[in-house]
Amino acid sequence: MFTGPVLFEDRADAGRRLAQAVAVEAPPEPLVMGLPRGGVPVAFEIAMHLHAPLEVLIVRKIGAPGHLEFGLGALVDGEKAELVLNRGAVRLVRPPRGYIAAETERQRAEIARRRVLYLGDREPHSPRDRNVVLVDDGIATGGTIRAAIQALRRAGVRSLLLAVPVAPASAIASLRSSVDGIVCLSTPAFFRAVGLHYRDFEQTSDAEVMTLIGKARADRCDGA
């Protein structure tokens, strides 16, 4: 793991550089799963490098009332969308009765919208009994990626390798016991935000996600 500061040109650059390191650690016949939207351009480069199938794992944060960036948990897509709550955060915030249920339904609708948009009528690759490489464009607090990891474990993955370009060392340390391996290119000593480590951190669009998924399929990267 490299600990010096790293500046990536954009997510594609980060993905190409991360792919080199992931190739050393990747298990046989991996399934690369990217968190949309921002994780997909990174995951695409890894899937291309490994000649592996690319899939999206849609995760939607359940934010606190009035402070949506503070996560109470997350809803993770799958054969059945799974709610993973941060019990400590819920106890701290004490959201009004019915708030979590209502917010969960709102995010469930957004997951359904994105699934149709990204997958169409295609059945997604199941992570069950697969060697999964889980990819995002970076980690800040780790709440969303932690929910994704828990959901994938419950889905019955064979092994789970987490790959991110940049994250605080504390987040990597807290996640290490929940995965089989971690590849992270940079753990800056003074971490403020993921976007500060990219020259271009423009929001990834739905159209870009759809284009990359299409390219992966056309190049037979999803044929496993």
Side-chain angles (χ1 to χ4, degrees), residues 4-207:
V6 175
L7 179 62
F8 305 105
E9 289 296 324
D10 53 21
R11 292 179 178 88
D13 174 51
R16 287 189 291 268
R17 295 165 66 179
L18 186 58
Q20 299 290 332
V22 169
V24 177
E25 304 289 337
E29 299 182 352
L31 170 64
V32 178
M33 304 192 78
L35 269 60
R37 299 182 182 104
V40 175
V42 183
F44 172 79
E45 299 295 337
I46 294 173
M48 293 293 288
H49 187 78
L50 298 179
H51 304 288
L54 172 66
E55 192 55 270
V56 294
L57 180 64
I58 307 172
V59 181
R60 298 294 298 172
K61 183 187 296 182
I62 305 297
H67 301 278
L68 293 180
E69 288 305 309
F70 183 79
L72 302 180
L75 189 65
V76 186
D77 195 19
E79 293 179 6
K80 181 180 180 182
E82 183 168 354
L83 178 63
V84 180
L85 289 177
N86 181 332
R87 299 293 179 182
V90 173
R91 286 194 296 269
L92 178 66
V93 172
R94 295 182 180 179
R97 183 184 299 272
Y99 172 83
I100 290 178
E103 185 64 11
T104 298
E105 287 310 304
R106 189 172 78 87
Q107 297 304 338
R108 194 184 305 278
E110 177 61 14
I111 284 177
R113 183 193 74 84
R114 292 196 182 196
R115 189 189 305 117
V116 170
L117 197 62
Y118 299 157
L119 303 181
D121 58 2
R122 175 176 69 86
E123 281 295 318
H125 292 284
S126 172
R128 183 174 300 279
D129 202 31
R130 295 296 301 267
N131 295 315
V132 172
V133 179
L134 179 63
V135 184
D136 205 355
D137 57 7
I139 296 174
T141 63
T144 300
I145 204 79
R146 187 174 290 107
I149 289 168
Q150 290 184 35
L152 286 172
R153 286 296 192 196
R154 292 172 187 172
V157 296
R158 183 183 305 161
S159 70
L160 187 53
L161 176 67
L162 174 62
V164 291
V166 61
S170 58
I172 293 298
S174 70
L175 293 168
R176 193 170 296 282
S177 63
S178 61
V179 295
D180 298 291
I182 298 179
V183 178
C184 179
L185 298 182
S186 179
T187 54
F190 300 100
F191 188 94
R192 291 170 55 197
V194 170
L196 294 179
H197 301 278
Y198 287 82
R199 194 179 308 280
D200 176 1
F201 199 65
E202 288 295 318
Q203 185 176 13
T204 303
S205 67
D206 283 334

